[in-house]
Amino acid sequence: MSSWQCLIQVRWPNVRSYLAVVMLSLLTGCGSDLVTQYGANEGYYARQSINGFTTFRDSFDHAGFDSRGITRLTERTRKVTSIIWTPSELMAVDQKTVRWMDRWLQQGGRTLVYVIPDSGSRSDYFRQLRSQAAPDQRLEYRRKLGESLIDEHRAQYFHSPVIVGGWFVATPRVQQTVVSDGKDTTSNLSWVADDGDNQPVKQEWVIESLPEASNQTASQTVTVTTSQGLSTNQTVASPPQPKKAGLQFSSLVETAKGETVLAQLTADNWHHSQVFVVASGSLLTNYGLTKPSNRHLAERLIEQCKQIAIDGEAIDEQDRLTDNGNLPQVGFVTASDGLPVSSRVDEIPRATGAESLTQFPLVLVTFHAAVIGIVFCLMLFPIFGRPAKVDRGTLTHFGDHLDAVATLMYRRGGEAFARKRISEYMRRVRGETHGPWVVNEPVDHTVSPSASSAPTGRPKSPDNLPPQSQANHSDAIELDDDSVADRSEAIEQTNRPEEQR
């Protein structure tokens, strides 16, 4: 079981007591390949990845929400009370998506949580387990830590400020800093855990409010401070997006230098709807939620999503359900630049294609054709159609007799035996001595009985035969003489009078 799977099986107040089990399960997974897929919130690889958001999504389910994935903005999506946007790449959001989000927030009681992507928790994972690994594996963990740091620095080098949705500006600022509660004027809610463990955390982005002049300029110049303390001017790499009128920017969590890492956006026409911007996705990933301070932040976000829905009358305060008696829905979005919007068309709908068959007057023909087709399909089934004719055969069919005789002949000797029997029939019954079915029988070289009265002289062997052949010929003559003598004696006994026998 993975560490984040241990988290979702317990409630938030009891997670601290399971920290030892979490770290043990982390160590047991060191031998397998590390999954670092970022941004996904459902599926096998998202649950195994240290940079997935499955734990954060499951925590909403345990808090009384019904989570679902969102891939398209439709009328059904407007019923969602909260949207968690975890893009895999920071990009400017298209205007269609921004307008749809603005209309969705104007319904009241809606919450949008936008999580800025970063390089992930791979380096933190190897840094933590390097000291806990076996001595023979520490060198390997040190090598993997170096590789992950090189990949992070390469990705951080190409970061540039981006305007997101006309709401805020995300400015790259790589640093290790201690965070604290910011200037939250709306409530006295604490967003930073007060447990005395103020350890520095990695921050790659800071959140800044859009200036009023951002709607007149096609680009914006922002001062960027690198990790070495050098300040440079960079141009925002995003198309011009007008700042929303009446947008208020509040800093909830700040760094030691007063830079915002968790912001809250409100507007006059949003009717208790709010937008939360988290500057680092590593705070809410599967690995990030193993830290108590990050779990405290996630718990506050979930509480605010529910409280905002109650204040906006999207759900009932008593049973925490919607008007139709269902659980409040929370949607998770992973797209980077926006989502396709399915809008309702105001013109009169017209049937096209196969839909025209359902309109009058074609519907009369279509209905009858469908009935006839159903009847025809039923006729094809044997249980509904006409009975089939089965050939059961006859006992007096002469072909069966021929088949049986041919089978017996084949078993007796094959074609040669059959031809011999036919030839015998032609000779004895039909009296034929030649023809296509008459087989020439071999000539019998035996001596006839009349030859018994001939002189019994032994013929001499031919002179032209070899000695061995002459010997064989002599033996054959002797055998013929004996057979002739036996036959002569049998004939004499037959010719004798019966009284003498």
Side-chain angles (χ1 to χ4, degrees), residues 9 44 79 390 395:
Q9 293 181 356
Y44 173 79
K79 301 178 182 179
V390 180
L395 299 179

Side-chain angles (χ1 to χ4, degrees), residues 225-276:
T225 304
T226 61
S227 58
Q228 290 78 14
L230 301 178
S231 299
T232 58
N233 294 329
Q234 295 186 7
T235 303
V236 173
S238 60
Q241 297 181 355
K243 179 181 178 180
K244 179 176 175 57
L247 186 66
Q248 290 86 29
F249 183 92
S250 302
S251 179
L252 302 181
V253 179
E254 295 180 347
T255 64
K257 297 181 181 180
E259 298 170 330
T260 305
V261 296
L262 177 61
Q264 180 186 29
L265 305 177
T266 57
D268 298 335
N269 60 344
W270 282 356
H271 308 294
H272 298 284
S273 297
Q274 298 181 13
V275 176
F276 292 96

Side-chain angles (χ1 to χ4, degrees), residues 73-372:
L73 302 177
T74 61
E75 293 297 327
R76 180 184 177 185
T77 312
R78 293 185 181 276
K79 301 178 182 179
V80 176
T81 58
S82 303
I83 293 180
I84 312 300
W85 198 339
T86 57
S88 58
E89 184 179 357
L90 183 60
M91 301 176 63
V93 184
D94 62 272
Q95 290 297 316
K96 290 184 179 180
T97 303
V98 173
R99 287 193 296 267
W100 190 96
M101 289 290 180
D102 185 73
R103 291 192 297 268
W104 174 73
L105 292 170
Q106 290 177 9
Q107 297 178 153
R110 302 297 192 265
T111 305
L112 172 63
V113 180
Y114 189 91
V115 183
I116 298 177
D118 55 8
S119 56
S121 306
R122 183 183 177 187
S123 59
D124 296 336
Y125 177 84
F126 288 118
R127 184 181 292 107
Q128 180 179 1
L129 296 184
R130 181 182 56 180
S131 59
Q132 303 176 8
D136 56 341
Q137 296 181 356
R138 292 178 182 176
L139 183 61
E140 179 67 17
Y141 278 104
R142 182 177 299 179
R143 183 184 64 83
K144 292 182 178 180
L145 175 60
E147 293 178 353
S148 61
L149 289 175
I150 292 174
D151 295 338
E152 287 184 6
H153 294 165
R154 185 184 297 110
Q156 294 167 3
Y157 178 79
F158 294 100
H159 285 171
S160 59
V162 178
I163 296 177
V164 180
W167 300 321
F168 63 93
V169 178
T171 307
R173 195 92 79 236
V174 181
Q175 54 185 326
Q176 289 283 343
T177 182
V178 178
V179 297
S180 59
D181 287 325
K183 307 178 183 64
D184 184 11
T185 59
T186 59
S187 65
N188 296 323
L189 184 66
S190 176
W191 291 87
V192 179
D194 187 11
D195 53 0
D197 187 15
N198 295 329
Q199 296 294 331
V201 294
K202 180 185 66 175
Q203 294 292 333
E204 300 180 10
W205 300 89
V206 294
I207 307 168
E208 297 179 355
S209 176
L210 275 173
E212 297 296 336
S214 62
N215 56 350
Q216 285 93 16
T217 59
S219 60
Q220 179 181 358
T221 302
V222 182
T223 302
V224 179
T225 304
T226 61
S227 58
Q228 290 78 14
L230 301 178
S231 299
T232 58
N233 294 329
Q234 295 186 7
T235 303
V236 173
S238 60
Q241 297 181 355
K243 179 181 178 180
K244 179 176 175 57
L247 186 66
Q248 290 86 29
F249 183 92
S250 302
S251 179
L252 302 181
V253 179
E254 295 180 347
T255 64
K257 297 181 181 180
E259 298 170 330
T260 305
V261 296
L262 177 61
Q264 180 186 29
L265 305 177
T266 57
D268 298 335
N269 60 344
W270 282 356
H271 308 294
H272 298 284
S273 297
Q274 298 181 13
V275 176
F276 292 96
V277 183
V278 183
S280 179
S282 300
L283 300 176
L284 302 175
T285 57
N286 294 332
Y287 178 79
L289 291 180
T290 59
K291 300 180 180 180
S293 58
N294 297 341
R295 294 197 296 270
H296 179 79
L297 174 63
E299 183 179 359
R300 290 291 179 265
L301 287 174
I302 296 174
E303 291 177 356
Q304 283 298 298
C305 290
K306 184 169 293 187
Q307 187 61 39
I308 292 172
I310 294 175
D311 297 340
E313 299 181 355
I315 61 176
D316 186 73
E317 185 177 2
Q318 299 298 328
D319 54 10
R320 306 296 176 90
L321 299 176
T322 59
D323 296 337
N324 53 7
N326 297 328
L327 293 174
Q329 292 185 348
V330 54
F332 281 77
V333 180
T334 58
S336 297
D337 55 349
L339 294 172
V341 179
S342 298
S343 58
R344 180 182 299 175
V345 181
D346 296 334
E347 63 181 8
I348 299 175
R350 297 180 180 179
T352 59
E355 295 180 356
S356 60
L357 299 177
T358 62
Q359 301 297 325
F360 183 83
L362 291 179
V363 66
L364 300 177
V365 181
T366 305
F367 177 77
H368 291 84
V371 173
I372 295 175

Side-chain angles (χ1 to χ4, degrees), residues 378-424:
L378 293 177
M379 290 178 59
L380 296 179
F381 285 93
I383 192 172
F384 296 113
R386 298 178 180 179
K389 296 182 179 180
V390 180
D391 186 10
R392 304 184 181 277
T394 57
L395 299 179
T396 59
H397 198 280
F398 188 72
D400 297 339
H401 174 70
L402 295 179
D403 294 338
V405 174
T407 303
L408 293 176
M409 289 185 176
Y410 176 77
R411 293 178 180 178
R412 180 60 180 83
E415 183 180 357
F417 178 78
R419 288 183 175 276
K420 187 175 181 180
R421 298 283 77 81
I422 294 174
S423 177
E424 183 178 356

Side-chain angles (χ1 to χ4, degrees), residues 493-501:
Q493 292 179 359
T494 303
N495 296 331
R496 291 177 185 177
E498 185 177 356
E499 60 275 7
Q500 292 181 2
R501 281 183 282 173

